[in-house]
Amino acid sequence: MSTTTAVPGTVLLSGIVGSTAYGFAHAGSDIDRLGLFATPTEELHGLRRPAESHVTTGPDVTLHEAAKWCRLALSCNPTASELVWLPDGLYEVRTPLGDELVGLRAAFLSAPAVRKAYLGYADQQFRKLLTRDTADPAARRRAAKHARHLVRLVEQAVRLHETGRNLIRLPDPERIRELGERIADRPALAEGLLADAAERLAGPGVLPAAPDLRPVEAWLRRVRAAHYAPPREPLHDPGTPVQSTGGALGPTG
């Protein structure tokens, strides 16, 4: 990665996401980075669970541990999922295990999860629009941003549902930008978009009813095996007997 974010593990896949990936970026836009990492497997064996996410601002970087990213992707979280659908030129770290993950990205998809996640996120953007005082220039700019992302989300959802592919780099970002400006001034215009998307997502599509967990589980186990380093020294004095209860407590009286 081109950042200095300290991660207690190995970054497997990372890239530039957000407005730059969608084609919305302009001069002065922030550059958002997203990635996933593998924590050392032995760190998962202790009492304390290691942090599953690392987030920094300035630069804007979000990194999820491999298992957490998989859980997010299985729920079709739009923000996390886009990592495996980026154009090749936007990846900054792409390891062999990261390539494997990109190769099995369709296994994470399911029609109910796409419908719930994408429409849920779009509805959040719509509700933010309703609370913005667009008389304030800064609030008006934020409203336009919410509207752009609302349009993006419903279009990505319908495309996923009907084709099984997530097109991150939008084919006509200026059209979405212009539509977002109109919706920012008249939020009611978004109601028709949301209703149409909900109807199409309820209709026939190509996505399965549930994700395919087997390749996801197999990939995560390969990650754990690849990042396991057994302790070099014994954890106890070899001359001291180690007593075990066999996993159960015997009678005490």
Side-chain angles (χ1 to χ4, degrees):
M1 296 183 68
S2 60
T3 68
T4 57
T5 304
V7 178
T10 302
V11 175
L12 304 178
L13 189 69
S14 71
I16 297 173
V17 294
S19 295
T20 300
Y22 311 140
F24 293 157
H26 54 80
S29 291
D30 293 333
I31 296 180
D32 301 311
R33 289 178 167 89
L34 175 67
L36 64 90
F37 67 96
T39 199
T41 302
E42 59 270 23
E43 295 296 321
L44 302 172
H45 296 165
L47 292 174
R48 294 176 181 245
R49 299 290 290 183
E52 288 195 301
S53 295
H54 296 270
V55 181
T56 64
T57 56
D60 296 320
V61 181
T62 298
L63 296 169
H64 297 304
E65 209 283 321
K68 180 176 181 179
W69 186 90
C70 286
R71 292 194 299 271
L72 291 170
L74 287 168
S75 71
C76 293
N77 176 288
T79 304
S81 296
E82 68 186 53
L83 178 62
V84 289
W85 295 93
L86 293 176
D88 287 345
L90 292 181
Y91 286 108
E92 296 182 315
V93 174
R94 192 164 175 173
T95 66
L97 281 166
D99 274 337
E100 286 187 33
L101 189 64
V102 172
L104 59 86
R105 60 194 179 185
F108 291 89
L109 298 174
S110 65
V114 165
R115 182 167 59 247
K116 179 180 179 180
Y118 279 78
L119 288 185
Y121 270 61
D123 187 62
Q124 287 179 18
Q125 301 301 316
F126 179 62
R127 294 182 185 279
K128 290 177 181 178
L129 282 173
L130 299 178
T131 62
R132 293 293 184 198
D133 177 11
T134 53
D136 174 61
R140 172 63 175 71
R141 288 192 295 272
R142 288 193 291 272
K145 181 177 180 179
H146 295 319
R148 286 195 299 274
H149 288 298
L150 184 155
V151 177
R152 168 186 65 82
L153 286 161
V154 297
E155 292 196 2
Q156 286 179 329
V158 170
R159 188 178 292 109
L160 265 171
H161 180 73
E162 295 178 350
T163 71
R165 296 189 62 80
N166 191 355
L167 190 62
I168 300 298
R169 178 61 56 83
L170 302 170
D172 192 359
E174 281 307 310
R175 175 187 62 83
I176 295 179
R177 185 181 296 280
E178 292 171 5
L179 182 55
E181 294 294 329
R182 286 190 279 128
I183 291 174
D185 292 326
R186 295 178 57 197
L189 293 174
E191 294 177 351
L193 290 176
L194 291 167
D196 179 67
E199 182 177 355
R200 293 176 70 174
L201 291 173
V206 302
L207 297 181
D212 187 354
L213 298 181
R214 291 173 298 175
V216 176
E217 180 75 21
W219 177 83
L220 189 56
R221 289 179 181 274
R222 288 195 296 276
V223 169
R224 297 302 183 225
H227 294 87
Y228 177 60
R232 294 182 179 181
E233 300 294 334
L235 298 181
H236 64 279
D237 183 345
T240 303
V242 178
Q243 186 174 8
S244 170
T245 62
L249 293 177
T252 57

